[in-house]
Amino acid sequence: MFDAIFLDRDGTISHDPYGYINDVKDYHFFDFTFDALEKLSTLTNRFFIVTNQSGLATGKIKIENLENIHSFIISEFAKRKLPLKKIYYADNYDEGFHSLRKPGIGMFEKAKDEFGINLENSLMIGDSIVDIEAGERCKMKTIFLLTGMGNDYLDEVNKKCKPSFICDNLMQASEKLL
Ligand SMILES: [Mg+2]
C-alpha cells in the first residue's frame, strides 16, 4: 500500500500533443488510463495530480480554461469512484528546491501539509525527468513512463536518476505493481 500516489498530468494520464493544453476539447485521457487507475486504486486510498502549467505565466493557458480541464478530470475520476484528493499545479518558472514547479517539491509539501501524507511511503509517476527528480527529492518511489515526453527524456533519466521502474505506460506500471 502507498500512502498516496502522485500522478503527473500531461503525458502520464493524458495525451500531451503540444506541450500545453488550453481547451478542454483538446484534453484526452489515454484509452488505458482508467483501467490502470482502477488497478492502482487497490494500492492506495489517495491520488494527487501534480502538474507544471507554466503556460499560465506566459499567457498560453488561461486560468478559466485550466479550471475547466481540471473540473473535467475531477468529474471523470469521481464517476469511477477513484479517490482523487486534489490537483496541484505550478503556474510559474521558479526553479528553487521548494518551488511549486517540479523538480521543486512545493506541490508535494502542500499535499503533505494539507492531507498528512507520508511522502516516503508514496509513489510518483511521470513522463518527465522533473517528475522523477521531484520524487527522488521527496524520497518517494518513482515510476518513469515512456508515454508523452518519456522517450525523449529516457537517456537523461538513466544518467541522472534511479527510478524504481521504467514502464511503457501507466497500464504497464499498474500491472508491474500488482
Ligand atoms: Mg508530463
Side-chain angles (χ1 to χ4, degrees):
M1 279 293 274
F2 293 105
D3 203 33
I5 295 180
F6 290 84
L7 303 157
D8 170 52
R9 198 193 85 179
D10 302 340
T12 295
I13 61 170
S14 51
H15 291 272
D16 187 8
Y18 3 84
Y20 68 94
I21 297 172
N22 186 39
D23 190 327
V24 71
K25 287 199 223 72
D26 296 330
Y27 185 83
H28 302 291
F29 291 105
F30 292 118
D31 55 10
F32 50 76
T33 290
F34 287 106
D35 289 338
L37 291 173
E38 298 275 356
K39 289 185 198 297
L40 291 173
S41 71
T42 65
L43 301 174
T44 190
N45 298 322
R46 301 191 272 202
F47 290 114
F48 293 91
I49 293 172
V50 283
T51 179
N52 284 354
Q53 294 294 332
S54 51
L56 286 163
T58 59
K60 284 181 177 170
I61 302 173
K62 287 204 164 70
I63 185 67
E64 56 269 31
N65 295 340
L66 186 84
E67 285 169 355
N68 274 341
I69 292 166
H70 289 181
S71 299
F72 172 66
I73 293 172
I74 288 165
S75 71
E76 291 299 304
F77 273 68
K79 259 188 219 173
R80 297 165 176 90
K81 300 195 163 47
L82 292 164
L84 177 62
K85 296 303 176 186
K86 190 155 179 176
I87 301 176
Y88 292 102
Y89 61 88
D91 64 355
N92 58 52
Y93 284 101
D94 294 346
E95 297 287 357
F97 189 90
H98 293 280
S99 294
L100 291 180
R101 182 176 172 75
K102 298 172 289 184
I105 64 170
M107 293 192 282
F108 301 87
E109 290 179 313
K110 276 194 174 185
K112 180 182 172 180
D113 291 348
E114 292 178 22
F115 294 87
I117 303 299
N118 180 338
L119 295 176
E120 293 189 26
N121 287 339
S122 297
L123 170 68
M124 173 65 199
I125 306 178
D127 70 307
S128 164
I129 189 166
V130 299
D131 298 316
I132 305 307
E133 287 172 336
E136 290 184 350
R137 284 174 168 184
C138 295
K139 302 190 169 62
M140 302 165 74
K141 313 245 176 340
T142 58
I143 297 184
F144 179 61
L145 301 181
L146 300 178
T147 42
M149 296 189 290
N151 266 309
D152 296 336
Y153 278 114
L154 179 59
D155 289 346
E156 205 183 344
V157 164
N158 274 324
K159 254 180 244 159
K160 295 184 181 167
C161 305
K162 286 195 169 55
S164 314
F165 299 113
I166 297 176
C167 297
D168 287 342
N169 57 44
L170 191 66
M171 177 54 87
Q172 195 188 79
S174 69
E175 287 166 348
K176 186 115 190 159
L177 288 168
L178 286 182

